[in-house]
Structures are given as C-alpha cells and as structure tokens.
Amino acid sequence: MKGLRFIGLGFIGLGLVGLSAMAFSVIAAASEEAPAELVAELTQFCKEIAEEEGTKGKSEDVFVLECVNDELEAEGYQKLKSLN
C-alpha cells in the first residue's frame, strides 16, 4: 500500500507542475494587446450599456473605458489607458 500511496503523490506532483505551467501561460497571455476590431466592438457594446443602464455616476468616457477594460481583462488581454 505504501508504494501505491507514493505513486499517487507522484501524480499529484505532476498535476501541480502542469497547473503551474498553465497559470504561467495565462499570465503571459494577459500581456497581449487586444486586436483593434475587438476594442471597437467592446467600445460600442459598453456605450450601449451606458445608454441603457446608466453610468453609475461616472462620466460616460470613464464608464466605457472601465467597461472595456473589464471585458479585455476577462479575455486575457492588456487593459487600455485610453480609448483614443
């Protein structure tokens, strides 16, 4: 039984190494810039949200930038400093 327990721990160790490698690749992917077409689509989407649901007391420009950045970050892209 001790031998089986050791083999099981080996598989767990390999799994942890694999998860670490995946986490690193996700972090590396987060540094990619989003394609301009995606930014344009998200900007339009966020402007529609601002019109329909309001901006929560923020200026529309600030609201839209935060909205776009939230969406970009969820997709693994870099945040933008501005939409210009």
Side-chain angles (χ1 to χ4, degrees):
M1 280 298 212
K2 288 184 182 179
L4 289 177
R5 202 175 299 163
F6 177 73
I7 291 171
L9 291 176
F11 285 122
I12 291 171
L14 288 175
L16 292 175
V17 170
L19 288 175
S20 296
M22 285 177 23
F24 178 76
S25 67
V26 168
I27 290 169
S31 65
E32 294 179 27
E33 291 184 21
E37 183 177 314
L38 176 60
V39 172
E41 289 174 9
L42 291 175
T43 300
Q44 184 60 38
F45 169 75
C46 291
K47 284 182 179 181
E48 290 172 9
I49 290 175
E51 289 174 12
E52 293 171 8
E53 298 178 17
T55 61
K56 301 177 186 174
K58 301 174 185 174
S59 72
E60 185 175 334
D61 291 340
V62 170
F63 178 87
V64 171
L65 177 61
E66 289 178 359
C67 175
V68 168
N69 279 336
D70 289 345
E71 296 297 322
L72 290 175
E73 190 174 41
E75 295 294 323
Y77 290 106
Q78 273 183 350
K79 289 183 174 183
L80 302 174
K81 293 181 182 174
S82 70
L83 291 172
N84 299 329

